């Protein structure tokens, strides 16, 4: 907790220094619904600091329920009467849809009304749906660029009669299924990584001949085809899905029985080639291995991954990222199976002790006490208990119980 407070304080001092009347600072963060609690705490400390001037924070998020951590933070800001403006974005109107279509086609709005009217009727103004629908009618030849007239042309009647999916997700799914099999398989593989994929990960996955087992020969070439289809965007040397719905649809196409195998293979490939980006490789490899760990039966392999989780946790703690550290440590503990203290004493001592410390730092005192009890019940000597006693005393002080 003290480390978190120090981090927030230092960050506030930094913003106070750089945000001035002559150089105001605007910070925009998208997809706040995915933010972890610690990041939300840092943002909260910034927007509630009355000493920070000339600073504007902008955040965007999708629909969330009242139990979501972000919803609780927003209610807290309202209660504290922090000056804020809430803007609810709905679907585009017919007029807005026409402006969007005319901008995309570089045509006068008066000339695109027939097309935008058909598009709006089919998509109800959902932006993602509009973009995917326009791509689909281009692919089917219902809209094409005329070199003779140097402008876009379309068949409004055919577009209006076109059978369409009920929502953008179904339209994306239909589009993916029309791709060549290798291109689909590449999309499935990178969907295991989330919405963003760095070049070194793809390079790691392309090493050796393991790709062929997943129906993909040339990963980079297949991803480039997805770029041309508008499903994936290239960002420098990295790639990201054009929308997280596309990533979710691609991942849903992987059979449940195959997902774990893919995650394990990706994790091992990244870790084997960790020299390509040693620090990032640790977190990516551990994340993938954890997702596939349910398929691992060999004890030595489960212990190996438990050690990697410990390594990832220690690195996270050094960065004051205690929430992910606790997650890695719980994952490592769960991998050890029966009688872990008998078979892997030193590893258990490190995992449980470090897990207690991480939970102390994020204020999960009940969980912390459970981890400490494990240490006190199984430690072989006083020296092995000392660090845990220190955590226990610190927790009592933090809770005003001592």
């Amino acid at each position: 907790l003290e480390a978190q407070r120090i981090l927030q304080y230092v960050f506030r001092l930094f913003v106070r220094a750089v945000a001035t009347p002559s150089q105001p600072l605007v910070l925009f963060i998208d997809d706040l619904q995915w933010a972890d609690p610690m990041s939300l705490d840092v943002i909260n400390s910034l927007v509630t600091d009355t000493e920070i001037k000339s600073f504007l924070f902008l955040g965007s998020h999708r629909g969330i329920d009242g139990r979501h951590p972000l919803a609780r933070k927003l209610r807290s800001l309202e209660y504290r009467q922090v000056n804020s403006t809430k803007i609810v974005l709905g679907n585009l109107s017919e007029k807005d849809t026409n402006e969007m279509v005319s901008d995309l086609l570089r045509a006068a709005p008066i000339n695109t009304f027939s097309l935008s009217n058909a598009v709006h009727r089919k998509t109800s103004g959902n932006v993602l749906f509009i973009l995917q629908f326009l791509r689909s009618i281009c692919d089917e030849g219902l809209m094409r660029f005329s070199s003779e007239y140097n402008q876009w042309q379309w068949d409004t009647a055919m577009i209006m009669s076109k059978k369409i999916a009920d929502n953008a997700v179904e339209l994306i799914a239909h589009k993916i299924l029309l791709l060549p099999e290798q291109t689909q398989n590449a999309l499935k593989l990178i969907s295991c990584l989330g919405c963003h994929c760095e070049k070194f990960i793809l390079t790691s996955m392309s090493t050796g001949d393991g790709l062929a087992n997943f129906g993909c020969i040339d990963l980079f070439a297949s991803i480039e085809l997805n770029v041309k289809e508008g499903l994936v965007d290239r960002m420098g040397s990295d790639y990201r899905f054009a929308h997280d719905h596309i990533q979710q649809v691609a991942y849903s196409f992987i059979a449940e029985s195959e997902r774990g195998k893919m995650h394990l293979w990706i994790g091992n490939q990244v870790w084997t080639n960790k020299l390509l980006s040693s620090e990032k490789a640790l977190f990516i490899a551990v994340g993938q291995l954890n997702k596939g760990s349910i398929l691992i039966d060999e004890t030595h392999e489960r212990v190996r991954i438990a050690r990697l989780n410990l390594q990832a946790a220690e690195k996270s703690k050094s960065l004051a990222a205690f929430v992910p550290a606790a997650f890695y440590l719980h994952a490592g503990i769960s991998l050890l199976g029966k009688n872990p203290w008998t078979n892997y004493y030193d590893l258990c001592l490190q995992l449980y002790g470090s897990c207690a410390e991480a939970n102390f730092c994020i204020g999960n005192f009940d969980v912390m006490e459970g981890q400490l009890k494990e240490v006190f019940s199984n430690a072989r000597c006083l020296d092995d208990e000392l660090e845990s006693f220190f955590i226990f005393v610190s927790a009592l002080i933090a809770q005003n119980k001592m």
Side-chain angles (χ1 to χ4, degrees):
L1 290 175
E2 183 63 26
Q4 291 180 45
R5 285 194 289 267
I6 292 172
L7 174 65
Q8 293 172 16
Y9 178 65
V10 171
F11 204 64
R12 291 201 305 273
L13 289 181
F14 170 74
V15 174
R16 289 179 193 176
V18 299
T20 63
S22 60
Q23 290 184 315
L25 175 65
V26 178
L27 174 62
F28 172 68
I29 300 180
D30 195 9
D31 288 328
L32 282 174
Q33 72 274 8
W34 304 122
D36 61 273
M38 186 174 292
S39 297
L40 292 176
D41 287 340
V42 173
I43 294 170
N44 185 73
S45 72
L46 287 178
V47 299
T48 56
D49 187 347
T50 57
E51 296 298 316
I52 296 179
K53 310 295 183 181
S54 306
F55 171 66
L56 174 65
F57 175 79
L58 301 174
S60 67
H61 65 86
R62 299 234 188 106
I64 52 176
D65 61 36
R67 296 169 296 175
H68 193 283
L70 176 59
R72 293 197 293 269
K73 286 295 181 186
L74 292 174
R75 286 196 298 271
S76 173
L77 293 178
E78 290 178 6
Y79 178 77
R80 298 176 67 171
Q81 297 183 328
V82 174
N83 187 24
S84 61
T85 302
K86 184 177 181 180
I87 302 174
V88 179
L89 297 179
N91 291 338
L92 299 182
S93 65
E94 285 189 44
K95 179 183 176 182
D96 292 334
T97 301
N98 189 41
E99 290 183 6
M100 178 181 177
V101 171
S102 67
D103 284 343
L104 289 171
L105 303 186
R106 297 185 179 180
I110 193 172
N111 296 330
T112 58
F113 182 75
S114 62
L115 173 62
S116 64
N117 182 54
V119 170
H120 189 271
R121 288 192 179 192
K122 291 292 184 179
T123 64
S124 299
N126 181 289
V127 175
L128 175 62
F129 209 171
I130 290 172
L131 294 173
Q132 293 300 320
F133 183 70
L134 288 172
R135 285 185 177 276
S136 71
I137 60 177
C138 278
D139 293 341
E140 295 174 25
L142 302 180
M143 183 173 75
R144 59 203 171 278
F145 187 78
S146 171
S147 300
E148 181 181 354
Y149 297 101
N150 196 34
Q151 64 181 18
W152 286 92
Q153 297 180 334
W154 51 87
D155 188 329
T156 305
M158 289 295 291
I159 292 173
M160 288 297 294
S161 65
K162 174 178 166 62
K163 185 178 180 181
I164 190 170
D166 292 334
N167 53 56
V169 171
E170 289 184 20
L171 188 62
I172 293 167
H174 177 69
K175 181 170 185 173
I176 292 174
L177 291 173
L178 293 177
L179 297 173
E181 187 175 359
Q182 271 202 54
T183 310
Q184 289 186 46
N185 291 335
L187 203 63
K188 292 176 186 177
L189 276 169
I190 63 172
S191 74
C192 293
L193 297 162
C195 289
H196 181 260
C197 182
E198 296 185 54
K199 182 181 178 181
F200 87 90
I201 305 175
L202 300 177
T203 303
S204 300
M205 292 165 66
S206 300
T207 303
D209 55 4
L211 272 175
N213 296 327
F214 299 102
C216 186
I217 304 301
D218 190 332
L219 185 59
F220 281 99
S222 296
I223 293 174
E224 285 298 327
L225 286 174
N226 282 297
V227 172
K228 290 181 181 179
E229 293 293 331
L231 298 170
V232 175
D233 293 331
R234 192 191 304 107
M235 302 177 65
S237 60
D238 301 336
Y239 296 89
R240 69 171 294 124
F241 280 90
H243 196 282
D244 54 5
H245 277 330
I246 300 174
Q247 182 267 332
Q248 292 163 9
V249 172
Y251 191 71
S252 72
F253 282 143
I254 307 173
E256 292 278 356
S257 58
E258 293 297 314
R259 290 179 185 176
K261 296 176 185 177
M262 282 189 174
H263 286 300
L264 283 177
W265 179 78
I266 293 171
N268 283 316
Q269 284 291 110
V270 171
W271 189 240
T272 300
N273 299 279
K274 57 183 176 291
L275 293 180
L276 292 171
S277 182
S278 56
E279 187 169 306
K280 292 181 180 179
L282 173 62
F283 294 113
I284 293 167
V286 171
Q288 292 294 312
L289 292 170
N290 284 342
K291 289 178 180 178
S293 61
I294 193 171
L295 299 179
I296 302 175
D297 295 322
E298 298 86 353
T299 302
H300 71 277
E301 183 65 9
R302 296 179 71 86
V303 172
R304 180 181 77 92
I305 298 175
R307 294 186 189 281
L308 287 176
N309 272 283
L310 176 62
Q311 193 175 335
E314 292 303 321
K315 183 62 180 178
S316 296
K317 284 164 61 179
S318 72
L319 300 171
F322 298 108
V323 172
F327 175 83
Y328 290 130
L329 292 162
H330 282 293
I333 290 170
S334 68
L335 285 163
L336 296 183
K338 297 179 180 179
N339 304 316
W341 285 93
T342 302
N343 299 320
Y344 313 104
Y345 177 79
D346 290 336
L347 179 57
C348 281
L349 193 63
Q350 290 177 291
L351 283 170
Y352 279 97
S354 190
C355 193
E357 182 184 22
N359 280 289
F360 160 66
C361 290
I362 58 180
N364 289 342
F365 296 113
D366 290 340
V367 178
M368 176 208 71
E369 288 180 11
Q371 309 300 331
L372 291 178
K373 286 178 181 177
E374 281 287 326
V375 175
F376 296 146
S377 299
N378 293 281
R380 294 173 180 172
C381 62
L382 180 60
D383 284 348
D384 290 345
E385 294 179 288
L386 284 179
E387 190 171 341
S388 294
F389 276 123
F390 177 78
I391 295 169
F392 182 63
V393 171
S394 299
L396 290 177
I397 294 172
Q399 298 174 84
N400 295 318
K401 293 182 179 180
M402 185 174 179

